[in-house]
Amino acid sequence: AKPDLPLPCPAVRLPASSAGPLDGTKIAILTGWEVPSGWSDREAFASSFGRHGQYAKGNDVQPFRDGKTGEKCRTSTDGLIKAMSVLSAKSESGDDNGKGKEILFFTNDVENPSFLADLSSRHGVPPPVSSLPAFGNSSASF
């Protein structure tokens, strides 16, 4: 464990393969995640999980809402990854239409149980957090 993180609260950095469980009293940053085979890039991930629905979320981790109806904006995992890719490319090219606009890929087992079940069936929970009460979530950057 490496406790020298510049955070305003207790935190430790642990390898994801560590055998020791956490007690749930500190923030843990798990390092050394192995990317499952077949998930090496956004296209591979979309091929595996693209059919699942997702909320399109902004930096505040809240779903975008339709300006007319107020409904939360939903898309497929594939559609979300494509939208993230378009905005990322615009931002990298200096196109102001992508500036200040970010889409987060973040979900949890309450919002999206089928996606998290599919994800967890293909990728196990790291030993340090396997004994903690479950709250599944997933975030990705592409």
Side-chain angles (χ1 to χ4, degrees), residues 88-134:
S88 177
K90 283 184 175 186
S91 179
E92 288 174 10
S93 72
D95 184 336
D96 283 343
N97 287 326
K99 191 174 185 178
K101 298 177 184 172
E102 292 187 37
I103 299 174
L104 296 182
F105 188 129
F106 182 87
T107 193
N108 60 58
D109 60 350
V110 174
E111 288 178 343
N112 206 335
S114 67
F115 173 73
L116 268 290
D118 194 7
L119 188 67
S120 66
S121 74
R122 302 175 197 217
H123 189 57
V125 176
V129 295
S130 63
S131 64
L132 297 177

Side-chain angles (χ1 to χ4, degrees), residues 14-17 30-35:
L14 294 171
S17 61
L30 301 181
T31 61
W33 285 90
E34 293 295 323
V35 176

